[in-house]
Amino acid sequence: QYSKVANNSKELEDCEQANKLGAVNSTLSNQSKEAFIDWARYDDSQDHFCELDDERSPDAQYVDLLLNPERYTGYKGPSAWRVWNSIYEENCFKPRSVYRPLNPLAPSRGGDDGESFYTWLEGLCLEKRVFYKLISGLHASINLHLCANYLLEETWGKPRWGPNVKEFTRRFDPIETKGEGPRRLKNLYFLYLIELRALSKVAPYFERSVVDLYTGNGHEDAESKALLLDIFRDTKSFHMHFDEKSMFAGDKKGAKSLKEEFRLHFKNISRIMDCVGCDKCRLWGKLQTQGLGTALKILFSEKEIQSLPENSPSKGFQLTRQEIVALVNAFGRLSTSIRELQNFKVLLQQTR
């Protein structure tokens, strides 16, 4: 109701002054804004074993994996070797003086066929040996995909893809690789067991009703989740799982330091994958690296997964859509490698 008292100019001035003095100054310097972005990026990366791309970046691109199968692209030679050489040399806890077998970028080794490398490897702690075997297994798996889906012929614009036995032999035959091929394949099986174990461990995270594989289609969401839970049930039925409890089991301070070193080395590998010159090779290399990184994140978060609330959002452990896609597709690629390996065994028997 109108009154002279309500329009007292002194009270209006006091009110304006109170608002002015009590207001929050929300201006920020550009330096502070950049610092906050760095903080958020750092906080988000603490539990990750791989570099996750920023999906909101203008440089990011969505692709249909079904339209871009992993297969031979012609990307080989010095460029490809430099990428893998960087991964092994910078991240596998290896001194420069110890040369990997059959590495064309290494200096001449004289009469040493790589035995000094394996002598050195056996002297490492379990965790560092595991790290090398994971990278070797990933390398072997990718090579198997290229051998199994090789460009055999290209006539009149109609390419013919299929298994290349000669290429498989060159990369994995015991004689041609001086005993190195079987070691690579053994590491492939080891990697398969690691990711299989991760799938069985992460099941409780997805079994909760609050987890929804959202695509915008309710029927497809429910069907996708049911299929994923079926896979988890199958992994649990396997009785020869890798036992990760022996890893990082030393004194707490040393184990924590080694685990962090392990994580940082693996993150660096996902950065190196960005240097791959072939787009399709980079796509599948990054996806499988992220899948392995997600598997490691799961294995080292068992307590957090077990203590997740049933009917409320996750606290302490969370998987992004990108990590879920990478985890499932990377395991799919490893499963394909195992299957293709059996196919090559049959083909090799037929050619003898």
Side-chain angles (χ1 to χ4, degrees), residues 108-327:
S108 176
R109 297 179 296 274
D112 181 14
D113 286 335
E115 286 308 311
S116 61
F117 172 83
Y118 289 104
T119 302
W120 162 82
L121 188 64
E122 288 305 310
L124 294 181
C125 65
L126 169 67
E127 292 82 1
K128 292 181 179 179
R129 293 201 306 275
V130 163
F131 192 98
Y132 168 77
K133 289 182 177 182
L134 293 177
I135 303 308
S136 174
L138 179 64
H139 195 179
S141 179
I142 290 173
N143 280 337
L144 247 171
H145 302 152
L146 307 185
C147 296
N149 213 348
Y150 203 90
L151 182 59
L152 300 175
E153 190 178 24
E154 189 171 17
T155 55
W156 305 103
K158 291 185 178 180
R160 184 168 66 89
W161 302 88
N164 186 325
V165 177
K166 185 178 179 181
E167 187 67 22
F168 175 83
T169 303
R170 187 177 72 82
R171 294 174 186 265
F172 297 108
D173 181 78
I175 297 173
E176 291 207 26
T177 63
K178 299 179 180 178
E180 188 65 21
R183 282 184 169 123
R184 295 169 182 169
L185 295 176
K186 190 175 181 180
N187 291 335
L188 164 64
Y189 279 100
F190 178 73
L191 173 60
Y192 180 78
L193 288 176
I194 290 283
E195 294 204 12
L196 186 71
R197 177 67 163 174
L199 287 181
S200 69
K201 288 283 185 181
V202 81
Y205 174 83
F206 288 97
E207 287 168 350
R208 297 174 305 143
S209 58
V210 293
V211 174
D212 181 23
L213 302 177
Y214 179 79
T215 63
N217 182 317
H219 176 71
E220 283 190 9
D221 295 350
E223 189 176 25
S224 296
K225 184 169 181 178
L227 288 169
L228 195 58
L229 294 178
D230 282 344
I231 293 174
F232 293 148
R233 276 190 284 272
D234 283 344
T235 63
K236 286 183 177 180
S237 68
F238 182 66
H239 299 296
M240 295 176 65
H241 278 289
F242 173 77
D243 184 6
E244 73 285 353
K245 288 185 174 63
S246 57
M247 292 182 65
F248 306 107
D251 66 282
K252 286 188 177 181
K253 188 175 180 181
K256 185 178 180 181
S257 174
L258 183 59
K259 180 180 175 181
E260 179 63 9
E261 193 177 3
F262 203 86
R263 189 179 70 85
L264 292 176
H265 274 287
F266 204 86
K267 288 191 76 170
N268 189 47
I269 290 173
S270 61
R271 292 191 195 103
I272 292 174
M273 282 292 179
D274 281 324
C275 300
V276 175
C278 160
D279 287 347
K280 193 174 286 185
C281 303
R282 184 166 66 250
L283 165 69
W284 285 103
K286 283 170 66 70
L287 185 141
Q288 290 170 83
T289 304
Q290 287 186 2
L292 176 52
T294 304
L296 293 174
K297 173 181 173 178
I298 292 166
L299 291 180
F300 298 134
S301 304
E302 183 177 8
K303 290 181 181 178
E304 289 81 356
I305 294 173
Q306 289 176 345
S307 60
L308 287 170
E310 172 60 34
N311 298 309
S312 60
S314 305
K315 289 183 179 179
F317 180 84
Q318 183 76 39
L319 290 179
T320 66
R321 183 187 299 266
Q322 196 177 149
E323 288 175 312
I324 295 169
V325 169
L327 177 69

